[in-house]
Amino acid sequence: MNNLAYIYKLWIEIAQESGTLTTSDVLLAAKRLVEGHSDADISLSIDEFDEFAKNISLEELIAYLNKLTTSKKYIILINLFMVIMLKNIHNEKVSKKQITALKEIYIKLNLPYLYDILSLLMQKKYEKAHTVIAKNVPNIDFICFDQHAKSELNQSFEHYQVSFIILHIDDFFLLLNHKSQALHIYSYKNEKNLSLYEKCQEFKEESFAFVNHKVRDHSIYYLNEESFLRITNDKEVIYLDTDVLRKLFSQETQTQFLVSEIIHQDKNIFNCSIVKDHIYKIEANDLYAGYSKRNTIIKNVNFKIHEGELVAIMGPSGSGKTTLLRTFVKQAKKLQGELLINDEQVSQKYFHRMGYVPQDDVLIKDLNVYDNMYYYYRLHFGKKESDANVDKLISKQLRNLGIIDIKYSPIFAQGKYTISGGQRKRLNIALELLKDVDLILMDEPTSGLSSLDSENIISELKQITHMNKIIIINIHQPSASMYKEFDKVIVFNEDGNNIYTNTAKEVLNIFKLVKTEDTYMFNDRRADLEGGDPELLLEIQAEEKSTFWNLFSYLNNFTEK
Amino acid sequence: MFNNPITTQIHYQLKRQFKIKSYEKLNLIVSFFIAPLLSFLSTYIFRANDDLVQNSSYPNYLFFMLISAIFFGLISSVFEVIKDKNMVQRESLGGVSIFGYYLSKYYVLSFFGLIQTLLYNLVGMIFLHIPWALVAFNSLVMFFVIVVSISFGLFVSSFARNSMIASNLIPVLIIPQILLGGLIPYQDMDTSIYMWEDNFNKAPPIARIMPIKYAYEAIITGNVIFTTGNKEVNDQIAQMVDYLQDNQFMSMQTETFLSHFGVEYLSNTWLINLLIIFGFIVMTFILGYTLFYRRIFNA
């Protein structure tokens, strides 16, 4: 996904088909884009999207957009919001000041032409829009590799948070954008790019020989010419899914070695950031874990989690929620089955990409907030950055989490905490963000907090997942609004059996299905359940605990059917 | 991992530990105040005569000094590792060295132990008129005892599951040292403490695992050696040695081992005993670190 040219193309097509561009049309375009390219999700339904568009003010929207990262994934959403905003502008005749603010946002996002394109689409000037797209869009994805374009390259890296450069040869280069999980193969000659996801499937089983070839002044590595042509002969630009690429690469250890060598080389040349062992997928298959064979706590656990997801582990006290988290960091033993990270067994190799925040405070009470963070950074990264830069990093993380005002506050003084429970939880999160981990495991992040603080924490965690991170939390009794933030839920019963794993939305949808199923279990609550109200789920949990957990068992069975 | 060299980690661990200590101002003041206070108390009690040469209670002062050292070392260290366990566990995930943490703890506590040692002996020097050479030597032995106690304290801290258990273990570590350290004659005790030994002319086996026994022996014999130029002082302290020999206190092993090489017993005993204490330090450090490492990864 993330091919802007493609989304624009779809917009034009749909706009032409329907004669006008509505919110639903835009959403449809986005959905087509998503379905056509990956299993990623756009989190708003059509109704929610329209509701959002209707209620949000321009100022709120601008504030919201300013918060978003500039990674490509969010550019899609940003674009969708832009359309809605333009609609509002069109209908409400907003002030020049607001339009100026809007343009400033586009400039900040490095997409100054977007305003023109969308304005033209709204005015049904499709041909002209197409010309502007043709003129501008390739530049979004295209990164020149020549030495004279170094400044442009650096700018692009900053913009897209590019992590890896794979290879480049005469007229082509391959680029793995680690953050967006996609590999691009680009042509210098042709500036037209297309998405060919289906085509990529054909290459899954292919084995490519890599050849060391000397071009210009440094070594490069490339697919053998025949294979390469098979990818590129009919279409100038290929858009590969990273999973496909990883499968290709994993076929030969030698290849992996070459790739890391190139990464190293390109780091020196282009000064780009490199993320090693980035965690993008977690999977458990029939996992049993505990502290000894006689003390098996969790049983038959199955789940699959991708980056960008906020996952809640739910279940009654003593059901093994913490044990699952501890299994990741080897504080509990895997007794049977598989626990995989990036298709490999969990190992210490990935520990530096993980952050585990236990339920108890792990802050140093005798240091203030700043010193806690400063030494945490220094112990992990040494003298990599100057004190001034570390200070900036700390301020950035504290600001993101809304606790910048306690930067120099002591944590504990005169026998009591001087910062609140919520602030301590946020500080713990900030420590992990400072380390820039991919996987954050949090044990009961909302315990001991007020409902408002809990909701804020969950909402902030959700925001953090937008930075391509996976966050897994243990939670005992989430409120309905917190529940809505979860992408997936993993549910355990009292015996530690994993009775349900699915998307959080699916649980809510199941209420609607209950009315069509003949289940004795819910006879007494059928009328309530048919409403599909998420609050009810929590209500049942509070009132009838056994019914609640049975509900999940039922859902699991239902899903299997 | 983050490829942060261990030396850099130790550097920042030390800085952090010193910073933590500097935040605990009241604690710091109290611990620095306690040392001279106890020293003053002991000099007051054990000043049988203003002239050191005539002061028959001087060995008692030395013994009390070593017992104080054990207290200082244990109290400062026994809760240290327990309270940081979760934090170390978390940091170790990111490749932060547990060894670096443990070593820095050791360094910092030893540094503060050194200050306490100097304060303690300064007061002793003033009120008991102890010559500076002996003060320096006494400080060395006291510092060794503090370090070995820190080592024991960190070991207990690694071993105990919580602060309550750790605090309950403090008397277990201190009382036997007082009883079996050598001040109370072994022949006054029940012979069953010799267990499998039938030679009652040497220290019982259980006393031989007490670091303070070696420290007391070292400090007494050292006091004789380092005052050889001062006959009056030397004679007085030599009487202590006689007293101790009468009480079968001296390490028979040391005596036998040295006599094989024709080495004078007394001249090297203090050094041998300090080396034995150093052995205790190394051994408990390794054991404590191993235990702590296992606790972190098998918690």
Side-chain angles (χ1 to χ4, degrees), chain A residues 368-406:
Chain A
N368 67 16
V369 170
Y370 178 83
D371 284 335
N372 261 284
M373 294 192 76
Y374 175 82
Y375 288 108
Y376 197 73
Y377 181 89
R378 287 293 186 208
L379 286 170
H380 285 91
F381 298 101
K383 296 169 182 169
K384 190 178 156 190
E385 296 287 348
S386 68
D387 275 358
N389 284 347
V390 176
D391 184 68
K392 275 183 199 165
L393 274 170
I394 291 170
S395 296
K396 184 183 157 195
Q397 299 303 348
L398 293 175
R399 199 172 294 114
N400 285 345
L401 288 161
I403 49 171
I404 187 72
D405 51 322
I406 59 159

mmCIF file of all heavy atoms in Angstrom, chain A residues 368-406:
data_model
loop_
_atom_site.group_PDB
_atom_site.id
_atom_site.type_symbol
_atom_site.label_atom_id
_atom_site.label_comp_id
_atom_site.label_asym_id
_atom_site.label_seq_id
_atom_site.Cartn_x
_atom_site.Cartn_y
_atom_site.Cartn_z
ATOM 1 N N ASN A 368 15.369 12.650 40.116
ATOM 2 C CA ASN A 368 14.219 13.361 39.556
ATOM 3 C C ASN A 368 13.875 12.797 38.169
ATOM 4 O O ASN A 368 14.556 11.887 37.670
ATOM 5 C CB ASN A 368 14.450 14.882 39.539
ATOM 6 C CG ASN A 368 15.551 15.290 38.582
ATOM 7 O OD1 ASN A 368 15.957 14.511 37.703
ATOM 8 N ND2 ASN A 368 16.064 16.495 38.735
ATOM 9 N N VAL A 369 12.830 13.310 37.576
ATOM 10 C CA VAL A 369 12.340 12.775 36.300
ATOM 11 C C VAL A 369 13.440 12.839 35.239
ATOM 12 O O VAL A 369 13.714 11.853 34.538
ATOM 13 C CB VAL A 369 11.093 13.570 35.847
ATOM 14 C CG1 VAL A 369 10.700 13.209 34.420
ATOM 15 C CG2 VAL A 369 9.930 13.318 36.800
ATOM 16 N N TYR A 370 14.084 13.990 35.145
ATOM 17 C CA TYR A 370 15.101 14.176 34.109
ATOM 18 C C TYR A 370 16.255 13.180 34.283
ATOM 19 O O TYR A 370 16.673 12.528 33.322
ATOM 20 C CB TYR A 370 15.639 15.615 34.140
ATOM 21 C CG TYR A 370 16.725 15.848 33.133
ATOM 22 C CD1 TYR A 370 16.408 16.140 31.808
ATOM 23 C CD2 TYR A 370 18.067 15.747 33.475
ATOM 24 C CE1 TYR A 370 17.403 16.328 30.861
ATOM 25 C CE2 TYR A 370 19.066 15.931 32.535
ATOM 26 C CZ TYR A 370 18.733 16.232 31.232
ATOM 27 O OH TYR A 370 19.715 16.400 30.298
ATOM 28 N N ASP A 371 16.735 13.063 35.514
ATOM 29 C CA ASP A 371 17.873 12.167 35.748
ATOM 30 C C ASP A 371 17.509 10.711 35.474
ATOM 31 O O ASP A 371 18.325 9.936 34.980
ATOM 32 C CB ASP A 371 18.396 12.324 37.178
ATOM 33 C CG ASP A 371 19.205 13.602 37.326
ATOM 34 O OD1 ASP A 371 19.739 14.076 36.307
ATOM 35 O OD2 ASP A 371 19.285 14.131 38.447
ATOM 36 N N ASN A 372 16.286 10.324 35.811
ATOM 37 C CA ASN A 372 15.837 8.968 35.488
ATOM 38 C C ASN A 372 15.985 8.705 33.996
ATOM 39 O O ASN A 372 16.481 7.670 33.582
ATOM 40 C CB ASN A 372 14.371 8.788 35.892
ATOM 41 C CG ASN A 372 14.225 8.071 37.225
ATOM 42 O OD1 ASN A 372 14.402 6.867 37.310
ATOM 43 N ND2 ASN A 372 13.933 8.828 38.263
ATOM 44 N N MET A 373 15.551 9.674 33.210
ATOM 45 C CA MET A 373 15.581 9.496 31.757
ATOM 46 C C MET A 373 17.002 9.627 31.212
ATOM 47 O O MET A 373 17.415 8.884 30.328
ATOM 48 C CB MET A 373 14.652 10.505 31.085
ATOM 49 C CG MET A 373 13.199 10.246 31.420
ATOM 50 S SD MET A 373 12.063 11.170 30.402
ATOM 51 C CE MET A 373 12.097 10.298 28.868
ATOM 52 N N TYR A 374 17.734 10.600 31.758
ATOM 53 C CA TYR A 374 19.094 10.863 31.264
ATOM 54 C C TYR A 374 19.969 9.620 31.405
ATOM 55 O O TYR A 374 20.605 9.177 30.437
ATOM 56 C CB TYR A 374 19.709 12.040 32.017
ATOM 57 C CG TYR A 374 21.147 12.301 31.656
ATOM 58 C CD1 TYR A 374 21.471 13.034 30.525
ATOM 59 C CD2 TYR A 374 22.186 11.797 32.438
ATOM 60 C CE1 TYR A 374 22.797 13.263 30.181
ATOM 61 C CE2 TYR A 374 23.513 12.016 32.101
ATOM 62 C CZ TYR A 374 23.810 12.745 30.969
ATOM 63 O OH TYR A 374 25.116 12.959 30.630
ATOM 64 N N TYR A 375 19.978 9.030 32.603
ATOM 65 C CA TYR A 375 20.853 7.874 32.807
ATOM 66 C C TYR A 375 20.336 6.641 32.077
ATOM 67 O O TYR A 375 21.118 5.792 31.659
ATOM 68 C CB TYR A 375 21.047 7.613 34.311
ATOM 69 C CG TYR A 375 21.929 8.669 34.934
ATOM 70 C CD1 TYR A 375 21.402 9.630 35.778
ATOM 71 C CD2 TYR A 375 23.274 8.737 34.621
ATOM 72 C CE1 TYR A 375 22.203 10.621 36.313
ATOM 73 C CE2 TYR A 375 24.082 9.728 35.146
ATOM 74 C CZ TYR A 375 23.541 10.663 35.988
ATOM 75 O OH TYR A 375 24.348 11.648 36.501
ATOM 76 N N TYR A 376 19.030 6.546 31.944
ATOM 77 C CA TYR A 376 18.460 5.430 31.175
ATOM 78 C C TYR A 376 18.975 5.489 29.733
ATOM 79 O O TYR A 376 19.374 4.483 29.160
ATOM 80 C CB TYR A 376 16.931 5.540 31.194
ATOM 81 C CG TYR A 376 16.213 4.257 30.801
ATOM 82 C CD1 TYR A 376 16.174 3.179 31.673
ATOM 83 C CD2 TYR A 376 15.577 4.140 29.579
ATOM 84 C CE1 TYR A 376 15.518 2.019 31.330
ATOM 85 C CE2 TYR A 376 14.912 2.973 29.231
ATOM 86 C CZ TYR A 376 14.883 1.920 30.115
ATOM 87 O OH TYR A 376 14.228 0.761 29.768
ATOM 88 N N TYR A 377 18.974 6.692 29.209
ATOM 89 C CA TYR A 377 19.468 6.863 27.833
ATOM 90 C C TYR A 377 20.962 6.549 27.764
ATOM 91 O O TYR A 377 21.417 5.803 26.900
ATOM 92 C CB TYR A 377 19.211 8.299 27.351
ATOM 93 C CG TYR A 377 19.684 8.515 25.929
ATOM 94 C CD1 TYR A 377 18.850 8.262 24.849
ATOM 95 C CD2 TYR A 377 20.998 8.915 25.666
ATOM 96 C CE1 TYR A 377 19.298 8.412 23.556
ATOM 97 C CE2 TYR A 377 21.455 9.066 24.373
ATOM 98 C CZ TYR A 377 20.599 8.815 23.313
ATOM 99 O OH TYR A 377 21.046 8.948 22.031
ATOM 100 N N ARG A 378 21.739 7.140 28.653
ATOM 101 C CA ARG A 378 23.196 6.982 28.628
ATOM 102 C C ARG A 378 23.613 5.520 28.806
ATOM 103 O O ARG A 378 24.563 5.058 28.187
ATOM 104 C CB ARG A 378 23.842 7.829 29.728
ATOM 105 C CG ARG A 378 23.835 9.329 29.444
ATOM 106 C CD ARG A 378 24.718 9.655 28.279
ATOM 107 N NE ARG A 378 24.836 11.088 28.062
ATOM 108 C CZ ARG A 378 25.081 11.621 26.875
ATOM 109 N NH1 ARG A 378 25.211 10.859 25.813
ATOM 110 N NH2 ARG A 378 25.192 12.918 26.741
ATOM 111 N N LEU A 379 22.903 4.818 29.663
ATOM 112 C CA LEU A 379 23.277 3.416 29.882
ATOM 113 C C LEU A 379 23.005 2.569 28.647
ATOM 114 O O LEU A 379 23.686 1.582 28.400
ATOM 115 C CB LEU A 379 22.524 2.841 31.085
ATOM 116 C CG LEU A 379 23.031 3.326 32.442
ATOM 117 C CD1 LEU A 379 22.095 2.921 33.553
ATOM 118 C CD2 LEU A 379 24.430 2.788 32.716
ATOM 119 N N HIS A 380 22.021 2.969 27.877
ATOM 120 C CA HIS A 380 21.711 2.205 26.662
ATOM 121 C C HIS A 380 22.525 2.647 25.464
ATOM 122 O O HIS A 380 22.917 1.837 24.639
ATOM 123 C CB HIS A 380 20.217 2.310 26.334
ATOM 124 C CG HIS A 380 19.361 1.487 27.221
ATOM 125 N ND1 HIS A 380 18.811 1.973 28.380
ATOM 126 C CD2 HIS A 380 18.998 0.186 27.153
ATOM 127 C CE1 HIS A 380 18.124 1.011 28.963
ATOM 128 N NE2 HIS A 380 18.217 -0.074 28.252
ATOM 129 N N PHE A 381 22.743 3.930 25.340
ATOM 130 C CA PHE A 381 23.384 4.441 24.120
ATOM 131 C C PHE A 381 24.753 5.072 24.368
ATOM 132 O O PHE A 381 25.382 5.544 23.428
ATOM 133 C CB PHE A 381 22.476 5.475 23.445
ATOM 134 C CG PHE A 381 21.163 4.898 22.996
ATOM 135 C CD1 PHE A 381 20.013 5.093 23.727
ATOM 136 C CD2 PHE A 381 21.089 4.138 21.838
ATOM 137 C CE1 PHE A 381 18.801 4.557 23.327
ATOM 138 C CE2 PHE A 381 19.882 3.594 21.424
ATOM 139 C CZ PHE A 381 18.741 3.806 22.175
ATOM 140 N N GLY A 382 25.202 5.137 25.607
ATOM 141 C CA GLY A 382 26.518 5.688 25.906
ATOM 142 C C GLY A 382 26.632 7.142 25.510
ATOM 143 O O GLY A 382 25.714 7.931 25.714
ATOM 144 N N LYS A 383 27.764 7.447 24.880
ATOM 145 C CA LYS A 383 28.033 8.851 24.569
ATOM 146 C C LYS A 383 27.629 9.201 23.133
ATOM 147 O O LYS A 383 28.184 10.128 22.528
ATOM 148 C CB LYS A 383 29.523 9.132 24.782
ATOM 149 C CG LYS A 383 29.937 8.970 26.226
ATOM 150 C CD LYS A 383 31.437 8.984 26.400
ATOM 151 C CE LYS A 383 31.809 8.762 27.853
ATOM 152 N NZ LYS A 383 33.237 8.502 28.056
ATOM 153 N N LYS A 384 26.683 8.451 22.612
ATOM 154 C CA LYS A 384 26.274 8.622 21.206
ATOM 155 C C LYS A 384 25.853 10.060 20.901
ATOM 156 O O LYS A 384 26.137 10.580 19.830
ATOM 157 C CB LYS A 384 25.112 7.657 20.947
ATOM 158 C CG LYS A 384 24.703 7.514 19.510
ATOM 159 C CD LYS A 384 23.582 6.482 19.437
ATOM 160 C CE LYS A 384 22.741 6.683 18.195
ATOM 161 N NZ LYS A 384 21.533 5.859 18.247
ATOM 162 N N GLU A 385 25.135 10.666 21.824
ATOM 163 C CA GLU A 385 24.633 12.033 21.602
ATOM 164 C C GLU A 385 25.193 12.980 22.662
ATOM 165 O O GLU A 385 25.529 12.556 23.771
ATOM 166 C CB GLU A 385 23.100 12.049 21.708
ATOM 167 C CG GLU A 385 22.366 11.235 20.650
ATOM 168 C CD GLU A 385 22.380 11.868 19.271
ATOM 169 O OE1 GLU A 385 22.756 13.051 19.159
ATOM 170 O OE2 GLU A 385 22.018 11.172 18.313
ATOM 171 N N SER A 386 25.260 14.251 22.312
ATOM 172 C CA SER A 386 25.715 15.241 23.290
ATOM 173 C C SER A 386 24.623 15.433 24.350
ATOM 174 O O SER A 386 23.461 15.061 24.131
ATOM 175 C CB SER A 386 25.978 16.570 22.592
ATOM 176 O OG SER A 386 24.756 17.099 22.139
ATOM 177 N N ASP A 387 25.019 16.029 25.469
ATOM 178 C CA ASP A 387 24.038 16.270 26.538
ATOM 179 C C ASP A 387 22.876 17.135 26.045
ATOM 180 O O ASP A 387 21.728 16.923 26.429
ATOM 181 C CB ASP A 387 24.724 16.951 27.734
ATOM 182 C CG ASP A 387 25.374 15.922 28.648
ATOM 183 O OD1 ASP A 387 25.246 14.716 28.364
ATOM 184 O OD2 ASP A 387 26.012 16.327 29.635
ATOM 185 N N ALA A 388 23.203 18.099 25.185
ATOM 186 C CA ALA A 388 22.150 18.993 24.665
ATOM 187 C C ALA A 388 21.135 18.202 23.847
ATOM 188 O O ALA A 388 19.920 18.410 23.967
ATOM 189 C CB ALA A 388 22.786 20.081 23.808
ATOM 190 N N ASN A 389 21.633 17.267 23.039
ATOM 191 C CA ASN A 389 20.722 16.457 22.220
ATOM 192 C C ASN A 389 19.893 15.496 23.072
ATOM 193 O O ASN A 389 18.722 15.271 22.791
ATOM 194 C CB ASN A 389 21.507 15.662 21.169
ATOM 195 C CG ASN A 389 21.946 16.537 20.023
ATOM 196 O OD1 ASN A 389 21.465 17.669 19.879
ATOM 197 N ND2 ASN A 389 22.870 16.061 19.229
ATOM 198 N N VAL A 390 20.539 14.944 24.088
ATOM 199 C CA VAL A 390 19.794 14.044 24.986
ATOM 200 C C VAL A 390 18.680 14.831 25.670
ATOM 201 O O VAL A 390 17.551 14.359 25.791
ATOM 202 C CB VAL A 390 20.736 13.385 26.032
ATOM 203 C CG1 VAL A 390 19.951 12.540 27.024
ATOM 204 C CG2 VAL A 390 21.774 12.525 25.342
ATOM 205 N N ASP A 391 19.014 16.052 26.059
ATOM 206 C CA ASP A 391 18.022 16.909 26.705
ATOM 207 C C ASP A 391 16.831 17.142 25.763
ATOM 208 O O ASP A 391 15.671 17.074 26.179
ATOM 209 C CB ASP A 391 18.687 18.242 27.075
ATOM 210 C CG ASP A 391 17.741 19.138 27.829
ATOM 211 O OD1 ASP A 391 17.404 18.779 28.966
ATOM 212 O OD2 ASP A 391 17.311 20.171 27.271
ATOM 213 N N LYS A 392 17.147 17.377 24.485
ATOM 214 C CA LYS A 392 16.073 17.600 23.505
ATOM 215 C C LYS A 392 15.202 16.352 23.370
ATOM 216 O O LYS A 392 13.973 16.435 23.300
ATOM 217 C CB LYS A 392 16.694 17.926 22.134
ATOM 218 C CG LYS A 392 17.031 19.398 21.971
ATOM 219 C CD LYS A 392 17.566 19.622 20.575
ATOM 220 C CE LYS A 392 18.337 20.932 20.525
ATOM 221 N NZ LYS A 392 19.154 21.035 19.316
ATOM 222 N N LEU A 393 15.874 15.197 23.300
ATOM 223 C CA LEU A 393 15.138 13.932 23.163
ATOM 224 C C LEU A 393 14.210 13.707 24.356
ATOM 225 O O LEU A 393 13.051 13.318 24.188
ATOM 226 C CB LEU A 393 16.132 12.763 23.107
ATOM 227 C CG LEU A 393 16.709 12.414 21.748
ATOM 228 C CD1 LEU A 393 17.851 11.411 21.921
ATOM 229 C CD2 LEU A 393 15.634 11.797 20.861
ATOM 230 N N ILE A 394 14.749 13.975 25.529
ATOM 231 C CA ILE A 394 13.945 13.784 26.746
ATOM 232 C C ILE A 394 12.739 14.725 26.722
ATOM 233 O O ILE A 394 11.606 14.303 26.961
ATOM 234 C CB ILE A 394 14.818 14.016 28.002
ATOM 235 C CG1 ILE A 394 15.846 12.896 28.131
ATOM 236 C CG2 ILE A 394 13.959 14.108 29.264
ATOM 237 C CD1 ILE A 394 16.911 13.129 29.181
ATOM 238 N N SER A 395 13.006 15.981 26.386
ATOM 239 C CA SER A 395 11.907 16.957 26.356
ATOM 240 C C SER A 395 10.852 16.541 25.345
ATOM 241 O O SER A 395 9.646 16.653 25.605
ATOM 242 C CB SER A 395 12.445 18.339 25.975
ATOM 243 O OG SER A 395 13.329 18.770 26.968
ATOM 244 N N LYS A 396 11.312 16.025 24.213
ATOM 245 C CA LYS A 396 10.369 15.617 23.155
ATOM 246 C C LYS A 396 9.434 14.513 23.666
ATOM 247 O O LYS A 396 8.210 14.595 23.499
ATOM 248 C CB LYS A 396 11.167 15.109 21.946
ATOM 249 C CG LYS A 396 10.325 14.740 20.753
ATOM 250 C CD LYS A 396 11.216 14.191 19.650
ATOM 251 C CE LYS A 396 10.414 13.327 18.704
ATOM 252 N NZ LYS A 396 11.257 12.514 17.850
ATOM 253 N N GLN A 397 10.023 13.502 24.297
ATOM 254 C CA GLN A 397 9.194 12.384 24.776
ATOM 255 C C GLN A 397 8.251 12.843 25.889
ATOM 256 O O GLN A 397 7.085 12.437 25.917
ATOM 257 C CB GLN A 397 10.071 11.229 25.285
ATOM 258 C CG GLN A 397 10.987 10.624 24.246
ATOM 259 C CD GLN A 397 10.255 10.106 23.018
ATOM 260 O OE1 GLN A 397 9.035 9.993 23.002
ATOM 261 N NE2 GLN A 397 10.992 9.825 21.960
ATOM 262 N N LEU A 398 8.771 13.690 26.774
ATOM 263 C CA LEU A 398 7.912 14.162 27.869
ATOM 264 C C LEU A 398 6.778 15.016 27.329
ATOM 265 O O LEU A 398 5.644 14.943 27.798
ATOM 266 C CB LEU A 398 8.738 14.951 28.892
ATOM 267 C CG LEU A 398 9.771 14.155 29.702
ATOM 268 C CD1 LEU A 398 10.595 15.073 30.583
ATOM 269 C CD2 LEU A 398 9.094 13.092 30.558
ATOM 270 N N ARG A 399 7.109 15.825 26.319
ATOM 271 C CA ARG A 399 6.086 16.691 25.723
ATOM 272 C C ARG A 399 5.021 15.840 25.036
ATOM 273 O O ARG A 399 3.828 16.080 25.174
ATOM 274 C CB ARG A 399 6.739 17.646 24.725
ATOM 275 C CG ARG A 399 5.867 18.856 24.398
ATOM 276 C CD ARG A 399 6.583 19.888 23.557
ATOM 277 N NE ARG A 399 7.687 20.510 24.260
ATOM 278 C CZ ARG A 399 8.971 20.377 23.936
ATOM 279 N NH1 ARG A 399 9.321 19.656 22.907
ATOM 280 N NH2 ARG A 399 9.915 20.972 24.625
ATOM 281 N N ASN A 400 5.472 14.816 24.297
ATOM 282 C CA ASN A 400 4.524 13.937 23.598
ATOM 283 C C ASN A 400 3.529 13.298 24.559
ATOM 284 O O ASN A 400 2.385 13.051 24.206
ATOM 285 C CB ASN A 400 5.272 12.813 22.867
ATOM 286 C CG ASN A 400 5.951 13.324 21.616
ATOM 287 O OD1 ASN A 400 5.645 14.427 21.147
ATOM 288 N ND2 ASN A 400 6.880 12.556 21.089
ATOM 289 N N LEU A 401 4.019 13.019 25.755
ATOM 290 C CA LEU A 401 3.150 12.347 26.720
ATOM 291 C C LEU A 401 2.498 13.331 27.700
ATOM 292 O O LEU A 401 1.852 12.920 28.665
ATOM 293 C CB LEU A 401 3.938 11.287 27.485
ATOM 294 C CG LEU A 401 4.289 10.057 26.631
ATOM 295 C CD1 LEU A 401 5.421 9.274 27.226
ATOM 296 C CD2 LEU A 401 3.081 9.161 26.443
ATOM 297 N N GLY A 402 2.717 14.620 27.442
ATOM 298 C CA GLY A 402 2.032 15.643 28.239
ATOM 299 C C GLY A 402 2.550 15.788 29.659
ATOM 300 O O GLY A 402 1.812 16.197 30.553
ATOM 301 N N ILE A 403 3.818 15.431 29.890
ATOM 302 C CA ILE A 403 4.344 15.572 31.255
ATOM 303 C C ILE A 403 5.619 16.419 31.266
ATOM 304 O O ILE A 403 6.459 16.263 32.152
ATOM 305 C CB ILE A 403 4.598 14.191 31.921
ATOM 306 C CG1 ILE A 403 5.412 13.258 30.985
ATOM 307 C CG2 ILE A 403 3.319 13.549 32.353
ATOM 308 C CD1 ILE A 403 5.868 11.976 31.656
ATOM 309 N N ILE A 404 5.734 17.313 30.308
ATOM 310 C CA ILE A 404 6.926 18.160 30.232
ATOM 311 C C ILE A 404 7.053 19.048 31.477
ATOM 312 O O ILE A 404 8.162 19.399 31.892
ATOM 313 C CB ILE A 404 6.910 19.006 28.921
ATOM 314 C CG1 ILE A 404 8.233 19.762 28.732
ATOM 315 C CG2 ILE A 404 5.727 19.957 28.864
ATOM 316 C CD1 ILE A 404 9.401 18.909 28.358
ATOM 317 N N ASP A 405 5.911 19.382 32.068
ATOM 318 C CA ASP A 405 5.952 20.274 33.239
ATOM 319 C C ASP A 405 6.586 19.629 34.470
ATOM 320 O O ASP A 405 6.927 20.322 35.423
ATOM 321 C CB ASP A 405 4.533 20.778 33.578
ATOM 322 C CG ASP A 405 3.541 19.641 33.685
ATOM 323 O OD1 ASP A 405 3.660 18.706 32.875
ATOM 324 O OD2 ASP A 405 2.683 19.669 34.568
ATOM 325 N N ILE A 406 6.758 18.317 34.451
ATOM 326 C CA ILE A 406 7.387 17.679 35.636
ATOM 327 C C ILE A 406 8.832 17.257 35.324
ATOM 328 O O ILE A 406 9.400 16.422 36.031
ATOM 329 C CB ILE A 406 6.572 16.457 36.132
ATOM 330 C CG1 ILE A 406 6.429 15.397 35.021
ATOM 331 C CG2 ILE A 406 5.230 16.873 36.672
ATOM 332 C CD1 ILE A 406 6.106 14.007 35.548
#
